[in-house]
Amino acid sequence: MKTELKEAYGFLFENELLEEIAECGTVRKIDAGERIIEFGDYVTGMPLLLNGAIKIMREDGDGDELLLYFIERGDTCAMTLNCCMGQTKSEIRAVAETDTTMIMVPIAKMEEWTARFKSWRNFVFESYHNRLSEMLDTIDTIAFLNMDQRIMKYLRDKAKINRDENVQSTHQQIAYDLHTSRVVVSRILKKLELDGKIKLHRNQIRVIDL
Amino acid sequence: MKTELKEAYGFLFENELLEEIAECGTVRKIDAGERIIEFGDYVTGMPLLLNGAIKIMREDGDGDELLLYFIERGDTCAMTLNCCMGQTKSEIRAVAETDTTMIMVPIAKMEEWTARFKSWRNFVFESYHNRLSEMLDTIDTIAFLNMDQRIMKYLRDKAKINRDENVQSTHQQIAYDLHTSRVVVSRILKKLELDGKIKLHRNQIRVIDL
DNA sequence: AAAGCTTTGTAACACTTGTTACTGCCCTTC
DNA sequence: GAAGGGCAGTAACAAGTGTTACAAAGCTTT
């Protein structure tokens, strides 16, 4: 664990802090597709991603979903930060996009580290900064792009996160993530295929040129 | 200024910090409608709102706009925080919604206070927290609501921020804020009037029951 | 290979939102 | 009070997206 920790966070934190994290944190391994945090859960610790990727979703009262953004190694979930500090319920759902390893840090340590370590403060601020930027990006996407463009962006992002030009998704899955209907997704994907931008297969979409 | 400062932030900050803010901050008064920060500006200081309200907008490459949220007294702009710490350009536009008074604090002080004052740290975190929540709310609005509901929410929010059931806006203005067209706004407003929810006047909309 | 399930393709239609065009109203200015 | 500019109302149409319904294709299980 220490090796991985150092690999992912060594350039961010001083040794003393790394030691403390290693000491009081617990490693948690999660399989792709597993739910990590559910809407309304109380958050008991703060996750530091070692590898893998996590998908953050929003859900409204009627059970409608929307993908917000992905989180990768060297990152934490600022929403979780939020919940930790405010002792409030989670406003989002977190699902493992790929097999994922993370270190869970007890909330109690956070306040202490914030006072003691400048690098920790910077990390937390940086984290908030990144999250706000992602949220702005998400807003741009749903406010200014039409569905064709949103689907293209989705496929690009997903291919990048998984480091694989073959995106493993059903049309229904994509529809859920983008908060639209399966038929709409199928229709647009077919058009993208005719334009030579993608190649469609069962449960899989190959990104050619988006 | 000290009185106002204490009024707005006294319950948040200890006296020593209040003194320092009063010492190194400069008061800035802004008329309603005036632009405070423009997309792409470098941010030179951090604003602490004493009274009034500020409208935060997003703009895409084609000049299309979208209202993100409002900021009120006792608040700061986390986007500005973001820019300050990251030394990056502003990703948003800030316009005074009403006549506004704020204290501008030089960036240099921020880092220092973050280390020295727990209350300042909490304030900054709280601020980020609020901003993320607002952004989530904004996303919910544009992702899950249709235009009728968005316009109703807009009028409710605007009436609340201005503490006036008579919202002073043209239909064109609303169309800009919601990133739609004037005709659409007029059409929906007329329907809301027929439903007895609002009363339309020139340059003014009276909120009756939304 | 037959049955049953999931996934995808497609047509036809409905609804929401955006666009264009024109009209009349209100306010300001001369 | 005449002229001009900004604002609002409305119709007709276009485009985008969502819905329903059904058929076909592909995979899994038996």
Side-chain angles (χ1 to χ4, degrees):
Chain A
M1 154 175 170
K2 268 200 183 172
T3 325
E4 285 184 272
L5 180 60
K6 200 144 194 170
E7 217 170 276
Y9 292 91
F11 66 102
L12 275 176
F13 300 149
E14 52 260 68
N15 275 325
E16 196 185 340
L17 178 51
L18 287 172
E19 291 289 336
E20 289 217 20
I21 293 174
E23 199 174 308
C24 67
T26 52
V27 175
R28 193 171 157 198
K29 281 181 190 297
I30 295 145
D31 294 333
E34 198 180 321
R35 290 190 179 183
I36 301 166
I37 297 171
E38 191 50 67
F39 205 76
D41 281 1
Y42 279 97
V43 181
T44 57
M46 180 175 156
L48 300 175
L49 252 75
L50 290 182
N51 55 58
I54 293 177
K55 183 165 90 169
I56 306 295
M57 318 267 312
R58 179 73 169 154
E59 189 181 301
D60 79 345
D62 303 338
D64 294 325
E65 299 188 334
L66 181 75
L67 167 65
L68 292 179
Y69 49 79
F70 294 102
I71 289 175
E72 289 183 280
R73 162 179 140 162
D75 240 328
T76 187
C77 180
M79 291 296 171
T80 309
L81 277 176
N82 247 353
C83 300
C84 294
M85 325 245 356
Q87 306 281 15
T88 55
K89 292 180 188 174
S90 171
E91 307 207 69
I92 49 93
R93 164 185 302 151
V95 183
E97 171 71 17
T98 64
D99 290 352
T100 297
T101 317
M102 54 172 68
I103 297 186
M104 295 300 292
V105 175
I107 301 181
K109 286 286 167 187
M110 291 186 39
E111 175 101 2
E112 188 195 324
W113 291 344
T114 305
R116 274 174 60 204
F117 299 107
K118 188 177 167 187
S119 66
W120 178 260
R121 284 201 297 274
N122 286 342
F123 172 68
V124 172
F125 284 131
E126 181 83 8
S127 233
Y128 269 119
H129 177 98
N130 290 339
R131 236 35 66 206
L132 274 176
S133 295
E134 300 267 20
M135 297 280 275
L136 274 181
D137 195 54
T138 304
I139 288 176
D140 285 352
T141 303
I142 54 181
F144 299 131
L145 300 187
N146 58 23
M147 200 47 82
D148 309 36
Q149 298 169 299
R150 287 180 60 195
I151 288 184
M152 286 194 274
K153 177 169 158 48
Y154 176 88
L155 292 174
R156 277 198 305 271
D157 288 351
K158 194 121 171 170
K160 189 174 158 223
I161 281 282
N162 288 292
R163 292 183 190 76
D164 186 351
E165 62 179 2
N166 294 300
V167 173
Q168 311 286 336
S169 300
T170 66
H171 300 184
Q172 181 63 67
Q173 200 75 48
I174 298 175
Y176 283 140
D177 283 355
L178 298 184
H179 187 239
T180 179
S181 81
R182 198 272 308 168
V183 180
V184 170
V185 173
S186 292
R187 182 196 292 156
I188 291 175
L189 284 178
K190 182 50 77 181
K191 190 166 148 288
L192 291 179
E193 186 178 41
L194 290 177
D195 290 352
K197 295 180 195 295
I198 58 175
K199 185 88 182 76
L200 296 177
H201 305 276
R202 190 184 170 83
N203 294 321
Q204 191 190 90
I205 300 161
R206 180 141 124 270
V207 172
I208 296 172
D209 174 33
L210 284 180
Chain B
M1 155 176 169
K2 268 200 184 171
T3 325
E4 285 183 272
L5 180 60
K6 198 144 194 170
E7 218 170 275
Y9 293 90
F11 66 102
L12 276 176
F13 300 147
E14 52 260 66
N15 274 325
E16 195 186 341
L17 178 51
L18 287 172
E19 291 290 334
E20 288 216 23
I21 293 173
E23 200 174 308
C24 69
T26 54
V27 175
R28 191 170 159 198
K29 283 182 190 294
I30 295 145
D31 295 333
E34 198 180 322
R35 289 189 180 185
I36 303 167
I37 297 172
E38 192 48 68
F39 207 74
D41 281 1
Y42 280 97
V43 181
T44 57
M46 180 177 157
L48 299 175
L49 252 75
L50 291 181
N51 55 56
I54 293 177
K55 184 166 91 168
I56 306 295
M57 316 267 313
R58 180 72 169 154
E59 190 180 299
D60 79 345
D62 303 338
D64 293 325
E65 300 188 334
L66 181 75
L67 167 66
L68 291 180
Y69 49 77
F70 293 102
I71 288 174
E72 289 184 280
R73 165 180 139 159
D75 240 328
T76 187
C77 181
M79 291 296 170
T80 308
L81 276 177
N82 247 354
C83 300
C84 294
M85 326 244 355
Q87 304 282 17
T88 55
K89 292 181 189 174
S90 171
E91 308 207 69
I92 49 93
R93 163 185 302 151
V95 184
E97 170 72 17
T98 63
D99 290 352
T100 297
T101 317
M102 54 171 68
I103 298 186
M104 295 300 292
V105 174
I107 302 181
K109 286 286 169 188
M110 290 186 41
E111 176 101 359
E112 187 195 324
W113 291 344
T114 305
R116 275 176 59 205
F117 298 108
K118 186 176 168 187
S119 66
W120 178 259
R121 283 201 297 274
N122 286 342
F123 172 68
V124 172
F125 284 132
E126 181 83 8
S127 231
Y128 269 118
H129 177 99
N130 290 340
R131 234 37 65 205
L132 274 176
S133 295
E134 300 267 20
M135 296 279 276
L136 274 181
D137 195 53
T138 304
I139 287 176
D140 285 352
T141 303
I142 54 182
F144 300 131
L145 301 186
N146 58 22
M147 200 45 82
D148 309 34
Q149 297 169 300
R150 287 181 59 195
I151 289 183
M152 287 195 274
K153 177 169 157 49
Y154 175 88
L155 292 174
R156 277 198 304 270
D157 289 351
K158 193 121 171 168
K160 190 174 157 223
I161 281 282
N162 289 292
R163 293 185 189 77
D164 186 352
E165 62 180 0
N166 294 300
V167 174
Q168 310 286 336
S169 299
T170 66
H171 299 186
Q172 183 63 69
Q173 204 92 47
I174 298 175
Y176 283 140
D177 283 355
L178 299 184
H179 187 239
T180 180
S181 80
R182 198 271 308 167
V183 179
V184 170
V185 172
S186 293
R187 182 197 292 156
I188 292 176
L189 284 178
K190 182 49 74 179
K191 190 167 148 287
L192 291 178
E193 186 177 41
L194 290 176
D195 291 351
K197 296 181 195 297
I198 59 175
K199 186 88 182 73
L200 296 177
H201 305 276
R202 192 185 170 83
N203 295 322
Q204 192 190 89
I205 299 160
R206 178 141 125 270
V207 172
I208 295 174
D209 174 34
L210 283 180

